[in-house]
Amino acid sequence: KAGVTQTPRYLIKTRGQQVTLSCSPISGHRSVSWYQQTPGQGLQFLFEYFSETQRNKGNFPGRFSGRQFSNSRSEMNVSTLELGDSALYLCASSLGSYIGNTIYFGEGSWLTVV
Amino acid sequence: KNEVEQSPQNLTAQEGEFITINCSYSVGISALHWLQQHPGGGIVSLFMLSSGKKKHGRLIATINIQEKHSSLHITASHPRDSAVYICAANYGADGLTFGKGTHLIIQP
């Protein structure tokens, strides 16, 4: 059974640009959640999507958005990139809501903003 | 405020030692997760607990709801256990709140 797949793995963007990251969950999983990891702040919850609906959102500005498609694949978008957005972005999938189920993480997308 | 406190931040031990990592959280969690992160970024979910105790191989996780405290134990530690261990409390609609992590090094 394939795991959670994130693309791209590594990318470099310039301040002011936007970026879209993709996450393909484990087959059959309907929940996809997104996280940001930085050396200073550690891991932080961004948002969760379940059956194409955003159900929960962390404390991030509106520049961070996402969506989920009918096949449960999810994308995360960051607009007007800032240097502080440089981070490892992780997505995770779970069978039901992440609230009561084991979560399975992808390898992450390393974003560098220059 | 939803908080998760983890200790110790860094731990170096000899192969074979019994390891304990602690995690304290605020009230109102629906579950607590223990995660393992190796260099390079990949995170593996070790346990999800809402009560009691779980065991998987040499790893044991316990949670005390009244004391708002959880522990992760590693028996007969091995150099391959070297990683960052992170606890995360599930506050429901507020999402997961993560501890800062424990950097564990097991020396042969």
Side-chain angles (χ1 to χ4, degrees):
Chain A
K1 196 172 183 181
V4 178
T5 305
Q6 289 188 245
T7 57
R9 290 294 320 279
Y10 304 92
L11 66 166
I12 301 173
K13 291 286 187 178
T14 304
R15 270 182 302 176
Q17 286 186 317
Q18 73 163 11
V19 65
T20 298
L21 308 177
S22 179
C23 175
S24 293
I26 291 171
S27 177
H29 285 194
R30 295 169 64 191
S31 169
V32 174
S33 48
W34 288 89
Y35 307 86
Q36 181 197 63
Q37 187 175 34
T38 60
Q41 297 297 319
L43 270 164
Q44 297 183 86
F45 170 75
L46 280 158
F47 30 65
E48 185 214 9
Y49 286 87
F50 185 88
S51 294
E52 303 179 63
T53 302
Q54 184 183 92
R55 298 212 300 190
N56 300 294
K57 191 175 193 299
N59 190 23
F60 278 82
R63 300 186 297 108
F64 291 80
S65 63
R67 58 179 175 168
Q68 187 180 33
F69 301 96
S70 58
N71 62 358
S72 293
R73 189 177 72 85
S74 178
E75 287 182 347
M76 192 195 93
N77 186 77
V78 187
S79 62
T80 319
L81 284 165
E82 301 176 359
L83 294 179
D85 297 332
S86 295
L88 174 65
Y89 291 88
L90 291 151
C91 82
S93 75
S94 58
L95 197 58
S97 168
Y98 74 95
I99 291 177
N101 291 275
T102 299
I103 47 178
Y104 298 86
F105 285 85
E107 292 294 312
S109 292
W110 290 91
L111 170 64
T112 300
V113 182
V114 297
Chain B
K1 184 183 172 186
N2 300 333
E3 293 182 332
V4 176
E5 298 289 335
Q6 229 182 294
S7 63
Q9 274 190 292
N10 298 284
L11 179 57
T12 300
Q14 295 297 122
E15 184 174 355
E17 287 189 35
F18 182 81
I19 304 298
T20 296
I21 301 170
N22 297 298
C23 179
S24 298
Y25 56 87
S26 307
V27 298
I29 71 167
S30 54
L32 187 126
H33 299 258
W34 281 102
L35 311 171
Q36 179 192 58
Q37 185 171 31
H38 281 283
I43 294 179
V44 173
S45 178
L46 298 174
F47 297 101
M48 183 188 67
L49 292 161
S50 54
S51 65
K53 175 180 175 178
K54 287 190 177 180
K55 183 177 189 291
H56 185 258
R58 295 179 295 104
L59 301 177
I60 304 166
T62 62
I63 189 167
N64 185 316
I65 302 297
Q66 285 74 30
E67 295 185 5
K68 300 186 288 293
H69 180 269
S70 177
S71 293
L72 176 68
H73 305 285
I74 305 175
T75 62
S77 59
H78 189 276
R80 65 175 174 266
D81 297 326
S82 298
V84 177
Y85 292 84
I86 303 167
C87 71
N90 196 322
Y91 287 100
D94 291 338
L96 285 176
T97 300
F98 297 85
K100 296 291 186 189
T102 296
H103 291 71
L104 174 66
I105 298 173
I106 304 297
Q107 295 177 334

